[in-house]
Amino acid sequence: MDIAWPDFAAALGLLLVIEGLLPFLNPTAVRHLLAAVATSSDAALRIAGAVSLVSGLAVLWLARS
């Protein structure tokens, strides 16, 4: 399986656009969110990371099939 570098670059660019939307639109909410994340337990962060990872893989799988 060859990695299509233009697709990878486009996906990375889209990720940066999406991640930049919330801080641009509502920086105060982002500060509160980051403060809440900073006080979360390691287990809660791992669960959130696992859910995000599996969701992302599912979206990729659905988009490519």
Side-chain angles (χ1 to χ4, degrees), residues 7-8 18-19 23 27 32 39 41 44 47 50-51 53-56 63 65:
D7 289 343
F8 179 75
I18 291 170
E19 285 206 354
H32 290 288
T39 60
S41 69
I47 290 170
V51 168
L53 189 139
V54 170
S55 299
S65 63

Side-chain angles (χ1 to χ4, degrees), residues 15-33:
L15 171 74
L16 293 172
V17 167
I18 291 170
E19 285 206 354
L21 278 176
L22 189 57
F24 176 74
L25 296 174
N26 196 348
T28 303
V30 173
R31 271 192 209 96
H32 290 288
L33 176 64

